[in-house]
Structure formats: structure tokens, C-alpha cells
Amino acid sequence: MPLPTLRPLAGGILIALSTVATAQDARLAPIVVTATRSAQSPYDIPAAIDVVTTPEDGSLDVNLSERVQTIPGLVVRDRQNYAQDAQVSIRGFGARSTFGIRGVRLYTDGIPASMPDGQGQVSHFNLDSAERIEVLRGPFSALYGNASGGVVQVFTADGSDPPELRFGVAGGSNGNLRTSVNARGVDGPVDYNIDFTHFRTSGYRDHSAARRESGNAKIGWKLNEDAKLTLVLNALDVPDAQDPLGLTHAQFKADPRQVAAVADTYDTRKSVDQQQVGLIYDQRIDASNSLRVMSYYGQRGVTQYLSIPVATQVAQRGNSGGVVDLDNEYGGGDVRWTWRDTLAGRPFELAAGVAYDNQEQHRQGYENFVGNQLGVRGAKRRDEIDRVFDFDQYAQATWRVADDWTLMGGVRHSEVRFRSSDRYIAPGNPDDSGTVRYAATTPVFGVLWRATPWLHAYANWGRGFETPTFSELGYRADRGAGLAFDLKPSRSRNAEVGLKLRPSVRVEAGLALFRADSDDELAVATNLGGRTTYQNIARSRRQGIEASFNAELAHDVHLVAAYTRLQASFRTPFLTCVSAGCAAPDTPVQAGTRIPGVPRATGYAALKLGGEVGWQAGLDMNAMGATSANDLGTASAAGYALFGLSGGYVFDNGPWRVNTFARVDNLADRYVVGSVIVNDGNGRYDEPAPGRTFLVGVDVRWR
């Protein structure tokens, strides 16, 4: 990052800090557990970690993107397509994913939402019952294993005392409607938080209607003063969410609300049904030792109707068809021991554990036609049992070697095994069974210096790795039999330095510089007949700067801002496919070409007026830099800045608390590309964001 870029940014932060008056009363500082696996202030951790809590100003509160705008380095794009999950990337990791989430580890209440191969989803995150979201970035993410370019973890709130009943409804443009009911409380040794949320939308674009029901329950039972058992249940139902697909840039310019014709022709859609249960046992053994045991099990069914042409399926005997039918069973556990005492007379903490995760997937494929009828389930074209599991061991230590210095380090050994058993063998479709094993040891180390009570400096370094997912192993680039077990895992070397500032109890800011160099980055090799194959790129780099600012400028006047500048590029040349019919990589990509899906910069700022009760108002700005859409760098989405306005009134009278709110987003009614479909084989890269939209709602609490 050039020095001239850094000076004005750092200077601006320091000037802003110096102009804010010192507060006279203290606020309760947040705590996080994701970085160290124990409750600590993020100000005392030598890593980039942020926490966001439940918003009080009212929102649709359905998509993760609504909650995390204030966290630098994290990009969550609402695709306006509920047949596909949100796009989530951290410092450029995970940006290549065209569906699902890769490269970023996801958790809810300590239970993985990412599968052992690194692919995950956030559709079952229930934000209505959540207390906070923690986001860990940088080298220490590697202590969570495979595909840990960063960690996003959602925590459900504990039961409240006195008990509360909550009801909410919000609706507005494009047929958006959210209704929710929540009960939380304490009854003797038991605390509970039970939530049900219904959401439906007509969709901003044609053929994009969806409905989603989610339920979440967290029930804790205090067995005695030293032991607690927590049960976490959640369920998700998304029936026949319409998939509008992407648009070419010409289609976007002509009418951003339209869909590609094939979406209507084949009635592209997706259904998801998921149930999951987790059990967590926490035991305090003595003053120094504690034990945590977690186990979980889940089922997830997915049926998706694609737009693969009939002619393609007929011509290719080995084609897996245009209907994907996945039945998943998954589960695992984590056992962790923690010791807190002193070492050489200084506070010391050590956590060590083992983790096991397993996924068994029955993958079937069918033709998306019967005779002349399109968009229906036809003859079977694929049938296989895919299994992937990991077995990891990890240890992490934190040692305050002096009043002003803390050392933190750890190591994780990960082993990931894939096995595929082909149950559909026919002429032109040979046996694709096979196995492969990946393993890596990822050390990390960091140091924190308390330069002054209001300024902490830190540095850290570590290694990470990311295996291909089963989706990326699905086909070989040479079109031969079997899965692409020749693909290598990507391995990275990550470094970070940063400052954390708290000049007063009402002001905090952060600044971080980071670099991640990766070997064997995964990128697209071919796109042919609905099949995408992958290859390894020798070297790539992600580097940049993050800044954040959060302050109460005056009584009931709050300013929050976040900024990220990111350079992500391939460092070695390679060949790729560009045209839809490309059967082998034939177009050169030059070294220095930007990694697609990664915006050059992102920014967010919000000015909020109002306290806990009475009138509320806010003005916010969300900015996204230009984003490359393909490996060649010949297609991109332009950058933009969108403004929103919010307001409302909060009544708090005895047992009742009523929050009325309204929002207007995209005030200028700009037409922009909200997200891109990386390396789409048909050149349909653009996913439009809505124009001006309106939202009104009310959330009621009864204590």
C-alpha cells in the first residue's frame, strides 16, 4: 500500500479522535470469544476482531448484510436472490464463490455452519434472536481449520430476567414482509430464547419471489454452580425460491429488473429444508481448569432446477443433468480443555482441543425436461455418495509477559479426507469413484503492546490453508473419468500490524495493514455444458488497509464509519476459458490481474441521532468500489455510493417497549450492480441492486 495513501487516512483518524470530547461516564465494553475461545475485550487481543450487537433503530433484519456494514474487511452482498446464499468474503477470501460460501468459516453458538470441505451457508442464521455477531480477520482465523480466511460467528442471546415476549413486523417495497415472535426468559435453573421468523418477498426482479421460515431455540440448564448444559435447535424452510440468474451488462443497462429468458423457460428455482441440533456442556473443574464439550447433528436437503439446455444434456452422455438433488447428513463435535493460572508469575491461559466434523451427501442429478415439457424432473443422470470428514487438533495460549505486553500463539493440525462412491455407471459415464486426503499444520503468533491506556499496537503472523470443496472437485478439467483429485489445497502466509485506539470511553478506532500471499490459489479452468472445472494458480496476493471509527460525538449523537482498501491479484500468469463453449483453457491471464469478486474499496458511514427512547433518526452511506467479474479482467461492475435515511420513535412505558421505524434506501434511486457472479460461463455477471426502496415496521417488547 503506497505511503501517500496511508498518511491522509491515518491523519484523518487522529484529527477526528482529537476533536471528540472526553466522556464523563463509562460504557460497558463488549467482549468476544472467537479469537481466544474465552471471554476477553477485543481491545486486549493482538488480532483484528470486531463485534456488532442487535440494532435498536429497526430494520428488515433478514439478511446478514444488514448487521455487519460497520466491520471493515468484511463484504456481505445481498444478491436479491434467495435461491442463492449471500456472498461473503473477508479480505478477499471467499470472493470466488458463485453459490454458497467458501473460504470463510461460519459458526452459530459455536456450532459449525461450514462443512468440513469449507463450503457453508448463512441462510439459517436467525438474526431476530441473536445477541451479537463476531468477525475475526487475519492470521488467527487459521486456528479454526480448513478454509479459514476469516471467521463469522453468530451468538444467540441468553434468556432474560425478567422474561420478555417480542413481536415484530416490517414490510415495504418489492413485497418484502417480515414477521417474528420471540420468547426469552429464566425459570429457575433454566434459561431460554425461542424464536420463529417468517419472511416473504415478491422480489426486486422478475422471477425472484421467495418465502423463508426459520426457527431457533437456545435452552440452557444450569446443572450446578460449576456446570451448564445448552441445547441449540434451529430449522429452515425455503420452498421453491425463484432464481432470476444474472444479466449481461447490456441486459442490465436495458432493464435491471428483467431476467434472462432461460430463467422463465426452465423455471429456475431452489428449495432448502434444514434441521439441526447442538448440545454444549460447560464444566468448571476447579479454579484453574475448565472443560467444554460440543456435539451437533443436522440434515439439509436441497433441490435446484438449473437452466442447462436440453441439447447440452442430450449431446453429453456424462452430463449430470439440469436438476440437482442433494440430501445431506452432517455432524461432529469439539472437546476443549482450558487452563488459566500463572506462568513465571504472569497471567497465562492455555486452550487445547480436538475437533471432528463429518458430512455425507447423497448427490443425484436429473434431466430438467420430460419430452417437450421443461423445468420438471426427468431421467436420472447422476447418483453418488460423497463423504468428507476432518479430524483436527489445536492448541492456543495467551501470556501477559509484562503489564504492557501480551503474547498469543497457537497451532492447528488439520486432516481432511474426501471419498466419492459412484452409483451411476453407464455407457459414456464411467465410474467416478475416488478418494483424496489433504493435511496441513497452521501455526500463528501475535504480540500486543499497550503503548498507553488509550493506544494498543499489535502484530501477528500465521499460515493457513484451503482445500477444494466437493463442488470444485466435481469434474476434471481434462473431462476424464473421476473427480478432480489432482487439485491442490491453497496455502497462505498471512501478516498483519495494527493500532487500536480508545482515547475515551465514548470513542474507539482501529487501523490495520495486512498481506496474505497464497500458493495454488483455486481459479476456473473451463465452463462447458453447465460444468465448471478448476485449476491451481501458482501465486496470488491480497493486501490492504482497514480503518474503523465509532464515537458518541455529543449526547445522543453517534457516528460510525468503516473503510477498506484492498489489492487482490494473481501474481503468476495462467490460461483460462472465456467463451461459453471453451473445452480447454486457451486465453492468457497476465500476472497482476485483479482477482475477480473483490472490490477495490468498500466504505460505510452512519450518523445516528437519538437515545434509547424518544425520536430516532439516521443518515447512512454505503460505498463499493469497482469489482472485476472474471479472471481475465475484461468485465467489471462499476463502483457506487448509496445513501439511506431512517427515522422512528421508541416508546418505553412500564412493561411495554414499542419501536416504530421507517427507512428509505438508495435515496437517489440509482441503478447499480449490487453483486457479480464470478466467471459466469454465459457472461451473465451482473446481479442488480434495487432502486429506491421503502420499509416501515414496529417491534414490540413486553416484559
mmCIF file with all atom_site columns, all heavy atoms in Angstrom, residues 71-74 91 514 544-547 562-566 599-603:
data_model
loop_
_atom_site.group_PDB
_atom_site.id
_atom_site.type_symbol
_atom_site.label_atom_id
_atom_site.label_alt_id
_atom_site.label_comp_id
_atom_site.label_asym_id
_atom_site.label_entity_id
_atom_site.label_seq_id
_atom_site.pdbx_PDB_ins_code
_atom_site.Cartn_x
_atom_site.Cartn_y
_atom_site.Cartn_z
_atom_site.occupancy
_atom_site.B_iso_or_equiv
_atom_site.pdbx_formal_charge
_atom_site.auth_seq_id
_atom_site.auth_comp_id
_atom_site.auth_asym_id
_atom_site.auth_atom_id
_atom_site.pdbx_PDB_model_num
ATOM 1   N N   . ILE A 1 71  ? -18.164 -3.294  9.950   1.00 0.00 ? 71  ILE A N   1
ATOM 2   C CA  . ILE A 1 71  ? -16.935 -4.067  10.136  1.00 0.00 ? 71  ILE A CA  1
ATOM 3   C C   . ILE A 1 71  ? -16.073 -3.970  8.885   1.00 0.00 ? 71  ILE A C   1
ATOM 4   O O   . ILE A 1 71  ? -16.474 -4.428  7.805   1.00 0.00 ? 71  ILE A O   1
ATOM 5   C CB  . ILE A 1 71  ? -17.259 -5.534  10.450  1.00 0.00 ? 71  ILE A CB  1
ATOM 6   C CG1 . ILE A 1 71  ? -18.049 -5.623  11.759  1.00 0.00 ? 71  ILE A CG1 1
ATOM 7   C CG2 . ILE A 1 71  ? -15.982 -6.358  10.542  1.00 0.00 ? 71  ILE A CG2 1
ATOM 8   C CD1 . ILE A 1 71  ? -18.424 -7.018  12.166  1.00 0.00 ? 71  ILE A CD1 1
ATOM 9   N N   . PRO A 1 72  ? -14.876 -3.389  8.980   1.00 0.00 ? 72  PRO A N   1
ATOM 10  C CA  . PRO A 1 72  ? -14.011 -3.289  7.806   1.00 0.00 ? 72  PRO A CA  1
ATOM 11  C C   . PRO A 1 72  ? -13.472 -4.663  7.418   1.00 0.00 ? 72  PRO A C   1
ATOM 12  O O   . PRO A 1 72  ? -13.377 -5.571  8.246   1.00 0.00 ? 72  PRO A O   1
ATOM 13  C CB  . PRO A 1 72  ? -12.888 -2.357  8.268   1.00 0.00 ? 72  PRO A CB  1
ATOM 14  C CG  . PRO A 1 72  ? -12.825 -2.564  9.747   1.00 0.00 ? 72  PRO A CG  1
ATOM 15  C CD  . PRO A 1 72  ? -14.242 -2.814  10.186  1.00 0.00 ? 72  PRO A CD  1
ATOM 16  N N   . GLY A 1 73  ? -13.126 -4.805  6.157   1.00 0.00 ? 73  GLY A N   1
ATOM 17  C CA  . GLY A 1 73  ? -12.550 -6.061  5.678   1.00 0.00 ? 73  GLY A CA  1
ATOM 18  C C   . GLY A 1 73  ? -13.565 -7.120  5.329   1.00 0.00 ? 73  GLY A C   1
ATOM 19  O O   . GLY A 1 73  ? -13.245 -8.088  4.639   1.00 0.00 ? 73  GLY A O   1
ATOM 20  N N   . LEU A 1 74  ? -14.785 -6.964  5.802   1.00 0.00 ? 74  LEU A N   1
ATOM 21  C CA  . LEU A 1 74  ? -15.854 -7.938  5.556   1.00 0.00 ? 74  LEU A CA  1
ATOM 22  C C   . LEU A 1 74  ? -16.813 -7.382  4.508   1.00 0.00 ? 74  LEU A C   1
ATOM 23  O O   . LEU A 1 74  ? -17.287 -6.254  4.630   1.00 0.00 ? 74  LEU A O   1
ATOM 24  C CB  . LEU A 1 74  ? -16.607 -8.227  6.855   1.00 0.00 ? 74  LEU A CB  1
ATOM 25  C CG  . LEU A 1 74  ? -17.883 -9.061  6.750   1.00 0.00 ? 74  LEU A CG  1
ATOM 26  C CD1 . LEU A 1 74  ? -17.582 -10.479 6.291   1.00 0.00 ? 74  LEU A CD1 1
ATOM 27  C CD2 . LEU A 1 74  ? -18.637 -9.068  8.080   1.00 0.00 ? 74  LEU A CD2 1
ATOM 28  N N   . ARG A 1 91  ? -11.382 -9.898  3.495   1.00 0.00 ? 91  ARG A N   1
ATOM 29  C CA  . ARG A 1 91  ? -10.082 -9.529  2.917   1.00 0.00 ? 91  ARG A CA  1
ATOM 30  C C   . ARG A 1 91  ? -9.833  -10.260 1.601   1.00 0.00 ? 91  ARG A C   1
ATOM 31  O O   . ARG A 1 91  ? -8.725  -10.660 1.293   1.00 0.00 ? 91  ARG A O   1
ATOM 32  C CB  . ARG A 1 91  ? -8.966  -9.805  3.919   1.00 0.00 ? 91  ARG A CB  1
ATOM 33  C CG  . ARG A 1 91  ? -9.032  -8.911  5.153   1.00 0.00 ? 91  ARG A CG  1
ATOM 34  C CD  . ARG A 1 91  ? -7.897  -9.162  6.130   1.00 0.00 ? 91  ARG A CD  1
ATOM 35  N NE  . ARG A 1 91  ? -7.962  -8.209  7.238   1.00 0.00 ? 91  ARG A NE  1
ATOM 36  C CZ  . ARG A 1 91  ? -7.139  -8.203  8.286   1.00 0.00 ? 91  ARG A CZ  1
ATOM 37  N NH1 . ARG A 1 91  ? -6.177  -9.113  8.365   1.00 0.00 ? 91  ARG A NH1 1
ATOM 38  N NH2 . ARG A 1 91  ? -7.253  -7.309  9.230   1.00 0.00 ? 91  ARG A NH2 1
ATOM 39  N N   . PHE A 1 514 ? -2.478  -5.302  6.244   1.00 0.00 ? 514 PHE A N   1
ATOM 40  C CA  . PHE A 1 514 ? -2.394  -6.755  6.159   1.00 0.00 ? 514 PHE A CA  1
ATOM 41  C C   . PHE A 1 514 ? -1.902  -7.186  4.776   1.00 0.00 ? 514 PHE A C   1
ATOM 42  O O   . PHE A 1 514 ? -2.022  -6.454  3.789   1.00 0.00 ? 514 PHE A O   1
ATOM 43  C CB  . PHE A 1 514 ? -3.770  -7.382  6.436   1.00 0.00 ? 514 PHE A CB  1
ATOM 44  C CG  . PHE A 1 514 ? -4.853  -6.921  5.493   1.00 0.00 ? 514 PHE A CG  1
ATOM 45  C CD1 . PHE A 1 514 ? -5.091  -7.577  4.293   1.00 0.00 ? 514 PHE A CD1 1
ATOM 46  C CD2 . PHE A 1 514 ? -5.645  -5.825  5.811   1.00 0.00 ? 514 PHE A CD2 1
ATOM 47  C CE1 . PHE A 1 514 ? -6.086  -7.155  3.428   1.00 0.00 ? 514 PHE A CE1 1
ATOM 48  C CE2 . PHE A 1 514 ? -6.648  -5.397  4.955   1.00 0.00 ? 514 PHE A CE2 1
ATOM 49  C CZ  . PHE A 1 514 ? -6.862  -6.060  3.759   1.00 0.00 ? 514 PHE A CZ  1
ATOM 50  N N   . GLY A 1 544 ? -3.830  -4.860  1.938   1.00 0.00 ? 544 GLY A N   1
ATOM 51  C CA  . GLY A 1 544 ? -4.620  -3.652  2.028   1.00 0.00 ? 544 GLY A CA  1
ATOM 52  C C   . GLY A 1 544 ? -4.597  -3.031  3.405   1.00 0.00 ? 544 GLY A C   1
ATOM 53  O O   . GLY A 1 544 ? -3.750  -3.333  4.254   1.00 0.00 ? 544 GLY A O   1
ATOM 54  N N   . ILE A 1 545 ? -5.557  -2.150  3.617   1.00 0.00 ? 545 ILE A N   1
ATOM 55  C CA  . ILE A 1 545 ? -5.658  -1.394  4.854   1.00 0.00 ? 545 ILE A CA  1
ATOM 56  C C   . ILE A 1 545 ? -7.117  -1.344  5.273   1.00 0.00 ? 545 ILE A C   1
ATOM 57  O O   . ILE A 1 545 ? -8.021  -1.253  4.431   1.00 0.00 ? 545 ILE A O   1
ATOM 58  C CB  . ILE A 1 545 ? -5.083  0.027   4.678   1.00 0.00 ? 545 ILE A CB  1
ATOM 59  C CG1 . ILE A 1 545 ? -5.146  0.811   5.987   1.00 0.00 ? 545 ILE A CG1 1
ATOM 60  C CG2 . ILE A 1 545 ? -5.801  0.787   3.568   1.00 0.00 ? 545 ILE A CG2 1
ATOM 61  C CD1 . ILE A 1 545 ? -4.416  2.144   5.923   1.00 0.00 ? 545 ILE A CD1 1
ATOM 62  N N   . GLU A 1 546 ? -7.342  -1.418  6.578   1.00 0.00 ? 546 GLU A N   1
ATOM 63  C CA  . GLU A 1 546 ? -8.682  -1.294  7.155   1.00 0.00 ? 546 GLU A CA  1
ATOM 64  C C   . GLU A 1 546 ? -8.669  -0.184  8.197   1.00 0.00 ? 546 GLU A C   1
ATOM 65  O O   . GLU A 1 546 ? -7.682  -0.010  8.920   1.00 0.00 ? 546 GLU A O   1
ATOM 66  C CB  . GLU A 1 546 ? -9.115  -2.580  7.848   1.00 0.00 ? 546 GLU A CB  1
ATOM 67  C CG  . GLU A 1 546 ? -9.225  -3.795  6.960   1.00 0.00 ? 546 GLU A CG  1
ATOM 68  C CD  . GLU A 1 546 ? -9.413  -5.067  7.763   1.00 0.00 ? 546 GLU A CD  1
ATOM 69  O OE1 . GLU A 1 546 ? -9.272  -5.031  9.006   1.00 0.00 ? 546 GLU A OE1 1
ATOM 70  O OE2 . GLU A 1 546 ? -9.695  -6.103  7.135   1.00 0.00 ? 546 GLU A OE2 1
ATOM 71  N N   . ALA A 1 547 ? -9.762  0.549   8.270   1.00 0.00 ? 547 ALA A N   1
ATOM 72  C CA  . ALA A 1 547 ? -9.902  1.584   9.299   1.00 0.00 ? 547 ALA A CA  1
ATOM 73  C C   . ALA A 1 547 ? -11.338 1.596   9.793   1.00 0.00 ? 547 ALA A C   1
ATOM 74  O O   . ALA A 1 547 ? -12.274 1.364   9.025   1.00 0.00 ? 547 ALA A O   1
ATOM 75  C CB  . ALA A 1 547 ? -9.523  2.956   8.743   1.00 0.00 ? 547 ALA A CB  1
ATOM 76  N N   . ALA A 1 562 ? -16.451 2.885   8.574   1.00 0.00 ? 562 ALA A N   1
ATOM 77  C CA  . ALA A 1 562 ? -15.512 1.808   8.275   1.00 0.00 ? 562 ALA A CA  1
ATOM 78  C C   . ALA A 1 562 ? -15.045 1.956   6.835   1.00 0.00 ? 562 ALA A C   1
ATOM 79  O O   . ALA A 1 562 ? -15.812 2.373   5.959   1.00 0.00 ? 562 ALA A O   1
ATOM 80  C CB  . ALA A 1 562 ? -16.171 0.443   8.479   1.00 0.00 ? 562 ALA A CB  1
ATOM 81  N N   . TYR A 1 563 ? -13.772 1.621   6.610   1.00 0.00 ? 563 TYR A N   1
ATOM 82  C CA  . TYR A 1 563 ? -13.192 1.756   5.268   1.00 0.00 ? 563 TYR A CA  1
ATOM 83  C C   . TYR A 1 563 ? -12.189 0.631   5.050   1.00 0.00 ? 563 TYR A C   1
ATOM 84  O O   . TYR A 1 563 ? -11.421 0.270   5.962   1.00 0.00 ? 563 TYR A O   1
ATOM 85  C CB  . TYR A 1 563 ? -12.488 3.111   5.121   1.00 0.00 ? 563 TYR A CB  1
ATOM 86  C CG  . TYR A 1 563 ? -11.721 3.263   3.827   1.00 0.00 ? 563 TYR A CG  1
ATOM 87  C CD1 . TYR A 1 563 ? -12.388 3.566   2.635   1.00 0.00 ? 563 TYR A CD1 1
ATOM 88  C CD2 . TYR A 1 563 ? -10.344 3.091   3.783   1.00 0.00 ? 563 TYR A CD2 1
ATOM 89  C CE1 . TYR A 1 563 ? -11.698 3.698   1.440   1.00 0.00 ? 563 TYR A CE1 1
ATOM 90  C CE2 . TYR A 1 563 ? -9.639  3.229   2.592   1.00 0.00 ? 563 TYR A CE2 1
ATOM 91  C CZ  . TYR A 1 563 ? -10.317 3.527   1.418   1.00 0.00 ? 563 TYR A CZ  1
ATOM 92  O OH  . TYR A 1 563 ? -9.630  3.653   0.251   1.00 0.00 ? 563 TYR A OH  1
ATOM 93  N N   . THR A 1 564 ? -12.203 0.081   3.848   1.00 0.00 ? 564 THR A N   1
ATOM 94  C CA  . THR A 1 564 ? -11.237 -0.952  3.461   1.00 0.00 ? 564 THR A CA  1
ATOM 95  C C   . THR A 1 564 ? -10.716 -0.652  2.066   1.00 0.00 ? 564 THR A C   1
ATOM 96  O O   . THR A 1 564 ? -11.505 -0.363  1.151   1.00 0.00 ? 564 THR A O   1
ATOM 97  C CB  . THR A 1 564 ? -11.879 -2.352  3.457   1.00 0.00 ? 564 THR A CB  1
ATOM 98  O OG1 . THR A 1 564 ? -12.462 -2.623  4.728   1.00 0.00 ? 564 THR A OG1 1
ATOM 99  C CG2 . THR A 1 564 ? -10.841 -3.417  3.137   1.00 0.00 ? 564 THR A CG2 1
ATOM 100 N N   . ARG A 1 565 ? -9.419  -0.703  1.905   1.00 0.00 ? 565 ARG A N   1
ATOM 101 C CA  . ARG A 1 565 ? -8.771  -0.614  0.600   1.00 0.00 ? 565 ARG A CA  1
ATOM 102 C C   . ARG A 1 565 ? -8.048  -1.924  0.380   1.00 0.00 ? 565 ARG A C   1
ATOM 103 O O   . ARG A 1 565 ? -7.220  -2.331  1.212   1.00 0.00 ? 565 ARG A O   1
ATOM 104 C CB  . ARG A 1 565 ? -7.788  0.555   0.555   1.00 0.00 ? 565 ARG A CB  1
ATOM 105 C CG  . ARG A 1 565 ? -7.086  0.743   -0.782  1.00 0.00 ? 565 ARG A CG  1
ATOM 106 C CD  . ARG A 1 565 ? -8.002  1.370   -1.799  1.00 0.00 ? 565 ARG A CD  1
ATOM 107 N NE  . ARG A 1 565 ? -7.340  1.586   -3.083  1.00 0.00 ? 565 ARG A NE  1
ATOM 108 C CZ  . ARG A 1 565 ? -7.926  2.123   -4.150  1.00 0.00 ? 565 ARG A CZ  1
ATOM 109 N NH1 . ARG A 1 565 ? -9.196  2.508   -4.066  1.00 0.00 ? 565 ARG A NH1 1
ATOM 110 N NH2 . ARG A 1 565 ? -7.273  2.295   -5.271  1.00 0.00 ? 565 ARG A NH2 1
ATOM 111 N N   . LEU A 1 566 ? -8.336  -2.611  -0.719  1.00 0.00 ? 566 LEU A N   1
ATOM 112 C CA  . LEU A 1 566 ? -7.832  -3.967  -0.908  1.00 0.00 ? 566 LEU A CA  1
ATOM 113 C C   . LEU A 1 566 ? -7.301  -4.160  -2.315  1.00 0.00 ? 566 LEU A C   1
ATOM 114 O O   . LEU A 1 566 ? -7.998  -3.864  -3.300  1.00 0.00 ? 566 LEU A O   1
ATOM 115 C CB  . LEU A 1 566 ? -8.949  -4.981  -0.622  1.00 0.00 ? 566 LEU A CB  1
ATOM 116 C CG  . LEU A 1 566 ? -8.648  -6.459  -0.800  1.00 0.00 ? 566 LEU A CG  1
ATOM 117 C CD1 . LEU A 1 566 ? -7.496  -6.887  0.091   1.00 0.00 ? 566 LEU A CD1 1
ATOM 118 C CD2 . LEU A 1 566 ? -9.880  -7.294  -0.492  1.00 0.00 ? 566 LEU A CD2 1
ATOM 119 N N   . PRO A 1 599 ? -13.895 -6.106  -4.476  1.00 0.00 ? 599 PRO A N   1
ATOM 120 C CA  . PRO A 1 599 ? -13.955 -4.671  -4.771  1.00 0.00 ? 599 PRO A CA  1
ATOM 121 C C   . PRO A 1 599 ? -12.652 -3.979  -4.391  1.00 0.00 ? 599 PRO A C   1
ATOM 122 O O   . PRO A 1 599 ? -11.980 -4.377  -3.435  1.00 0.00 ? 599 PRO A O   1
ATOM 123 C CB  . PRO A 1 599 ? -15.126 -4.179  -3.910  1.00 0.00 ? 599 PRO A CB  1
ATOM 124 C CG  . PRO A 1 599 ? -15.230 -5.181  -2.808  1.00 0.00 ? 599 PRO A CG  1
ATOM 125 C CD  . PRO A 1 599 ? -14.804 -6.492  -3.384  1.00 0.00 ? 599 PRO A CD  1
ATOM 126 N N   . ARG A 1 600 ? -12.317 -2.942  -5.130  1.00 0.00 ? 600 ARG A N   1
ATOM 127 C CA  . ARG A 1 600 ? -11.092 -2.185  -4.828  1.00 0.00 ? 600 ARG A CA  1
ATOM 128 C C   . ARG A 1 600 ? -11.166 -1.544  -3.450  1.00 0.00 ? 600 ARG A C   1
ATOM 129 O O   . ARG A 1 600 ? -10.167 -1.451  -2.735  1.00 0.00 ? 600 ARG A O   1
ATOM 130 C CB  . ARG A 1 600 ? -10.877 -1.092  -5.874  1.00 0.00 ? 600 ARG A CB  1
ATOM 131 C CG  . ARG A 1 600 ? -10.544 -1.592  -7.267  1.00 0.00 ? 600 ARG A CG  1
ATOM 132 C CD  . ARG A 1 600 ? -10.276 -0.411  -8.182  1.00 0.00 ? 600 ARG A CD  1
ATOM 133 N NE  . ARG A 1 600 ? -10.035 -0.813  -9.561  1.00 0.00 ? 600 ARG A NE  1
ATOM 134 C CZ  . ARG A 1 600 ? -8.849  -1.169  -10.039 1.00 0.00 ? 600 ARG A CZ  1
ATOM 135 N NH1 . ARG A 1 600 ? -7.800  -1.148  -9.231  1.00 0.00 ? 600 ARG A NH1 1
ATOM 136 N NH2 . ARG A 1 600 ? -8.706  -1.517  -11.298 1.00 0.00 ? 600 ARG A NH2 1
ATOM 137 N N   . ALA A 1 601 ? -12.342 -1.102  -3.076  1.00 0.00 ? 601 ALA A N   1
ATOM 138 C CA  . ALA A 1 601 ? -12.511 -0.448  -1.777  1.00 0.00 ? 601 ALA A CA  1
ATOM 139 C C   . ALA A 1 601 ? -13.958 -0.580  -1.351  1.00 0.00 ? 601 ALA A C   1
ATOM 140 O O   . ALA A 1 601 ? -14.865 -0.722  -2.182  1.00 0.00 ? 601 ALA A O   1
ATOM 141 C CB  . ALA A 1 601 ? -12.104 1.029   -1.849  1.00 0.00 ? 601 ALA A CB  1
ATOM 142 N N   . THR A 1 602 ? -14.176 -0.551  -0.053  1.00 0.00 ? 602 THR A N   1
ATOM 143 C CA  . THR A 1 602 ? -15.529 -0.501  0.497   1.00 0.00 ? 602 THR A CA  1
ATOM 144 C C   . THR A 1 602 ? -15.550 0.527   1.618   1.00 0.00 ? 602 THR A C   1
ATOM 145 O O   . THR A 1 602 ? -14.540 0.749   2.299   1.00 0.00 ? 602 THR A O   1
ATOM 146 C CB  . THR A 1 602 ? -15.976 -1.868  1.061   1.00 0.00 ? 602 THR A CB  1
ATOM 147 O OG1 . THR A 1 602 ? -15.043 -2.297  2.073   1.00 0.00 ? 602 THR A OG1 1
ATOM 148 C CG2 . THR A 1 602 ? -16.032 -2.919  -0.032  1.00 0.00 ? 602 THR A CG2 1
ATOM 149 N N   . GLY A 1 603 ? -16.692 1.154   1.804   1.00 0.00 ? 603 GLY A N   1
ATOM 150 C CA  . GLY A 1 603 ? -16.816 2.147   2.851   1.00 0.00 ? 603 GLY A CA  1
ATOM 151 C C   . GLY A 1 603 ? -18.235 2.221   3.382   1.00 0.00 ? 603 GLY A C   1
ATOM 152 O O   . GLY A 1 603 ? -19.204 1.935   2.660   1.00 0.00 ? 603 GLY A O   1
#
